[in-house]
Amino acid sequence: MCGIVGYVGNKPAIDILLDGLEQLEYRGYDSSGVALKCSESIKVYKAEGKLINLREELAPHAYELAKSTTGIGHIRWATHGAPTVVNAHPHTCNCGNLVVVHNGIIENYKELRAELEAKGCKFKSQTDTETVAHLVASVYAEVKDLKKAVQLAAKKLQGAYALCIMHNSEPNKIVATKRNAPLIVGVGENEFYVASDVPAFIKHTKRAIYLSDNQVVTLTSNSIELEDESGNILTPKIELLPWEPVALSKMGYKHFMLKEIHEQPDVIRNILVGKLHTSDSDIVLDEVKLTKETLKKLNRIQIIACGTSLHAAMIGKYIIENFCEIPVDVEASSEYIYRKTVTDEHTLVIGVSQSGETADTLTAIKQSKARGSHILIITNRPDSAMAREADSLVPVNAGIEVSVAATKSYIAQLTSFYLLALYMAEVKETMAKSDLTSLKSEILQLPQKIEQILAHKENIQACARKYANTRDFIYIARGINYPTALEGALKLKEISYINATGYPAGELKHGPIAMLDETMPVLSILMNGTVYEKLLSNSEEAKARNARMIALTNSDDAKLDDLFDYIIKVPDVTELLSPIIAMIPLQLIAYYIAEFLGKDVDQPRNLAKSVTVE
Ligand code: AGP
């Protein structure tokens, strides 16, 4: 939900911190702040709103601040307390000697705050984070050692936290620790970075140390000390990051979202490399540890996810049940974790998550793992907390996705579900060889079909312009594209703020049809296949209520010209693969409407790329 970054080394910290926070803006952007070790003490600067406001706040102090080579910074997505300067991080203790930045939620902060206030601590903000500042400071007053104070104070914290802390009495030093929230150290030459995610420092170094829960790291410009929660010294494991900094530039596109939509053909090609060579070759999923025996004993699959990943999970259900004949349940993680669920060693639990850090899904996965289920994670971040819980891993390898609205990661998740389902079908021998070959052949053609859509997007852009000024928008579909309708609606909703809703078309007449009139756009995802005729008649029902009808279709049916006000034609594709083809125009419609309305496409209000709090 928030982004934290720290630097200690021999360069001006301020430039590194601000650039790092800019790279983390996708994690939250309602306020920000930095703390810098200056000549006589640590100075704190904070601002409401976007990062540009903090830059303006800092500008008058640029000369002095340029001398500082140690600092921490924070960009916020408010959880406790409004996005004001008072609530912005960094937070300090009463004397101002200790400063802290935090990502996560301290669940027992109210009890701790009451104890600290009873000891005379004076709180300025409504945040849980300020409690950490006072708590560590009160322990520091006894032990006079920042690392030890952090270790002892952390034992009192409940919930999720990634913390970076500095103290005036131990200059040019950062102490950091984490639990249930990501924190990574970047290793430079006589300098160290520490951040919530690698984009904050990848342009400076690709050498990284992923901290584990409850570890405490102490950084100075020429030393690193890593300890576990008991104070045992650990040897840091330095990994080489697999990404290139270029992923963090728009490469000439107006927004990251448009760039990432256009990356999708190559994303699919990259996924297929090494997994699906030709239409006659078996699927190769090296990190899936599902033996024939395990698969034969499986009596159920449970898929859990949130948001866009939940829509991918819903399509995964159709695919797996169709290919593998195993019953599949799909549920929002936030619902799953709060009910009595019946999973056991014969249940395969699949977690789907772009970030691999979504708190609800991570909690659900841990609960299922404790009940003995085999955990398979489909994620874009094989370096994430969820990936570390996995018995089997399917990295979707879509590359870093910066735009808050998920696009390429969704298409990558769907592609991965097709490969996983085909892999299981081959192991369980539930599909005829001819069907396997035919589907694999069509999967190999998907990239160029997407490129055809992207090459003729003017029609989609014109459609977006025509329907942009609407308060509501309805998407309807049937069968495997019902989740496509939900995802198309979410894309439009989350970046244009239009009240878009997806419905199973058969449900229209059970209530939603009451909303239809000449002001309501209804987009029908009318793909050739088993439910085409049914959906056509649902579309006619909507037309009879004077709705503004749009068809997204691969059909050449002449009847459509009379029924629909606007038709978006896509390349033909077999029904089972149509969710991938149908999604591309829906992503573009959402993008062009939001862009036309002048919305903040890559950083929509109230949202964050990775929801690391429940
Ligand atoms: C996607 O457009 C949304 N930003 C959001 O719904 C997202 O899919 C959801 O928060 C789940 O994130 P995850 O895939 O990283 O778990």
Side-chain angles (χ1 to χ4, degrees):
M1 298 302 270
C2 303
I4 64 178
V5 62
Y7 174 78
V8 55
N10 42 39
K11 301 189 187 89
I14 186 59
D15 302 331
I16 291 168
L17 295 179
L18 288 172
D19 182 62
L21 291 177
E22 194 168 326
Q23 299 306 328
L24 296 182
E25 269 192 308
Y26 70 86
R27 299 175 63 86
Y29 28 83
D30 59 36
S31 57
S32 60
V34 292
L36 289 151
K37 175 68 185 74
C38 297
S39 49
E40 69 291 343
S41 69
I42 293 171
K43 292 190 179 300
V44 175
Y45 300 87
K46 307 195 271 191
E48 282 180 34
K50 291 280 185 162
L51 199 54
I52 183 73
N53 300 340
L54 179 62
R55 288 181 184 277
E56 286 169 4
E57 185 70 23
L58 290 163
H61 313 281
Y63 178 74
E64 184 205 359
L65 296 181
K67 298 172 191 164
S68 171
T69 58
T70 305
I72 55 180
H74 185 274
I75 195 151
R76 187 169 183 246
W77 187 89
T79 53
H80 293 79
T84 61
V85 170
V86 169
N87 289 328
H89 304 207
H91 286 284
T92 66
C93 60
N94 281 132
C95 65
N97 278 326
L98 182 136
V99 289
V100 62
V101 291
H102 165 227
N103 172 35
I105 281 193
I106 305 301
E107 291 173 351
N108 62 330
Y109 83 98
K110 287 181 179 166
E111 303 91 275
L112 292 171
R113 178 167 177 149
E115 286 172 23
L116 290 160
E117 285 177 325
K119 287 180 182 174
C121 293
K122 300 281 182 259
F123 282 74
K124 301 182 286 291
S125 76
Q126 300 116 336
T127 66
D128 54 338
T129 305
E130 190 182 355
T131 304
V132 176
H134 290 296
L135 177 63
V136 177
S138 67
V139 177
Y140 185 85
E142 294 161 22
V143 302
K144 302 294 184 201
D145 178 300
L146 186 56
K147 177 193 66 183
K148 193 174 290 303
V150 171
Q151 278 169 332
L152 294 172
K155 295 182 191 305
K156 292 188 150 193
L157 301 178
Q158 294 169 18
Y161 57 78
L163 300 169
C164 287
I165 299 171
M166 298 196 302
H167 197 289
N168 268 323
S169 305
E170 300 187 26
N172 301 315
K173 178 186 286 183
I174 295 173
V175 176
T177 188
K178 54 95 70 187
R179 187 193 301 161
N180 296 331
L183 198 60
I184 306 147
V185 172
V187 182
E189 293 303 320
N190 295 322
E191 57 185 10
F192 288 95
Y193 306 80
V194 53
S196 305
D197 199 353
V198 299
F201 60 72
I202 193 171
K203 64 175 64 169
H204 304 294
T205 179
K206 291 172 72 173
R207 300 167 69 222
I209 300 163
Y210 286 86
L211 297 183
S212 300
D213 280 357
N214 306 314
Q215 288 181 346
V216 176
V217 66
T218 305
L219 304 170
T220 68
S221 61
N222 52 18
S223 70
I224 176 171
E225 195 178 288
L226 183 63
E227 295 185 13
D228 66 15
E229 53 197 302
S230 311
N232 301 311
I233 300 285
L234 303 171
T235 305
K237 179 175 169 250
I238 298 177
E239 303 179 37
L240 199 58
L241 296 171
W243 297 287
E244 292 305 324
V246 71
L248 305 175
S249 71
K250 292 179 193 157
M251 303 297 279
Y253 288 97
K254 185 175 181 182
H255 295 103
F256 278 109
M257 183 177 176
L258 192 59
K259 172 195 169 198
E260 288 155 3
I261 288 172
H262 283 77
E263 288 177 340
Q264 294 178 125
D266 285 342
V267 164
I268 293 179
R269 290 188 178 102
N270 292 341
I271 291 171
L272 298 180
V273 168
K275 297 188 176 81
L276 175 56
H277 300 290
T278 68
S279 56
D280 294 323
S281 55
D282 282 353
I283 303 292
V284 177
L285 292 180
D286 292 334
E287 294 169 89
V288 174
K289 310 300 181 204
L290 286 169
T291 62
K292 204 178 188 95
E293 293 63 38
T294 309
L295 278 172
K296 287 200 179 308
K297 287 179 193 156
L298 277 189
N299 55 27
R300 189 158 67 89
I301 293 177
Q302 172 78 50
I303 314 179
I304 39 187
C306 301
T308 287
S309 296
L310 178 62
H311 300 149
M314 293 168 74
I315 289 180
K317 168 187 169 71
Y318 281 93
I319 298 166
I320 293 171
E321 288 186 339
N322 187 294
F323 293 7
C324 309
E325 294 164 9
I326 303 177
V328 180
D329 296 317
V330 177
E331 190 164 1
S333 310
S334 53
E335 288 301 309
Y336 182 85
I337 53 185
Y338 293 105
R339 68 177 184 80
K340 179 173 173 26
T341 52
V342 183
T343 52
D344 58 22
E345 66 278 10
H346 298 308
T347 310
L348 170 63
V349 172
I350 300 177
V352 187
S353 174
Q354 187 285 130
S355 63
E357 299 291 349
T358 296
D360 287 327
T361 307
L362 184 57
T363 301
I365 289 297
K366 288 179 177 177
Q367 279 179 357
S368 305
K369 186 164 188 168
R371 276 197 289 275
S373 298
H374 186 101
I375 302 299
L376 186 148
I377 297 297
I378 297 176
T379 183
N380 194 33
R381 296 301 296 268
D383 57 334
S384 62
M386 243 177 264
R388 286 195 289 276
E389 294 293 330
D391 300 309
S392 292
L393 185 65
V394 179
V396 302
N397 298 326
I400 287 187
E401 185 174 67
V402 177
S403 190
V404 166
T407 51
K408 64 175 182 174
S409 63
Y410 176 72
I411 295 300
Q413 288 169 346
L414 294 190
T415 305
S416 300
F417 264 117
Y418 286 111
L419 295 179
L420 176 64
L422 288 169
Y423 171 85
M424 293 197 290
E426 284 171 349
V427 173
K428 285 172 62 69
E429 297 170 342
T430 48
M431 283 180 76
K433 180 69 179 163
S434 57
D435 292 341
L436 284 166
T437 303
S438 160
L439 264 173
K440 289 174 185 174
S441 171
E442 280 226 52
I443 288 172
L444 290 164
Q445 295 167 41
L446 287 172
Q448 55 261 44
K449 290 187 175 180
I450 294 174
E451 282 166 342
Q452 286 170 31
I453 298 170
L454 296 173
H456 301 92
K457 55 183 179 288
E458 302 73 26
N459 184 37
I460 298 168
Q461 187 173 24
C463 176
R465 293 265 162 83
K466 179 175 179 179
Y467 295 95
N469 292 308
T470 181
R471 193 171 54 86
D472 304 297
F473 206 111
I474 285 180
Y475 293 75
I476 59 173
R478 279 181 175 258
I480 196 168
N481 279 308
Y482 162 44
T484 306
L486 296 178
E487 176 58 14
L490 176 61
K491 282 288 98 37
L492 182 59
K493 203 186 338 254
E494 66 176 326
I495 64 174
S496 72
Y497 318 147
I498 290 171
N499 178 29
T501 310
Y503 291 105
E507 277 298 291
L508 214 52
K509 55 186 169 299
H510 299 287
I513 201 165
M515 295 191 292
L516 302 194
D517 61 21
E518 64 288 350
T519 68
M520 178 70 81
V522 172
L523 189 151
S524 179
I525 302 165
L526 192 61
M527 303 299 278
N528 289 323
T530 53
V531 292
Y532 176 87
E533 291 301 333
K534 279 287 183 196
L535 183 52
L536 191 59
S537 61
N538 296 139
S539 305
E540 282 157 351
E541 289 160 9
K543 177 73 173 179
R545 276 74 185 178
N546 303 314
R548 307 170 69 193
M549 297 305 294
I550 306 161
L552 193 173
T553 185
N554 53 356
S555 164
D556 295 320
D557 186 343
K559 284 205 299 286
L560 304 188
D561 293 327
D562 296 332
L563 174 51
F564 291 96
D565 308 317
Y566 208 98
I567 294 178
I568 296 168
K569 193 74 186 308
V570 294
D572 201 16
V573 65
T574 187
E575 182 177 17
L576 277 171
L577 297 179
S578 62
I580 286 192
I581 294 301
M583 195 63 231
I584 309 305
L586 300 184
Q587 293 169 343
L588 288 169
I589 285 172
Y591 172 77
Y592 284 123
I593 287 180
E595 190 252 352
F596 181 71
L597 296 176
K599 302 300 183 189
D600 195 342
V601 172
D602 285 328
Q603 296 172 0
R605 67 186 180 192
N606 307 338
L607 289 182
K609 184 66 178 174
S610 177
V611 184
T612 55
V613 291
E614 284 185 12

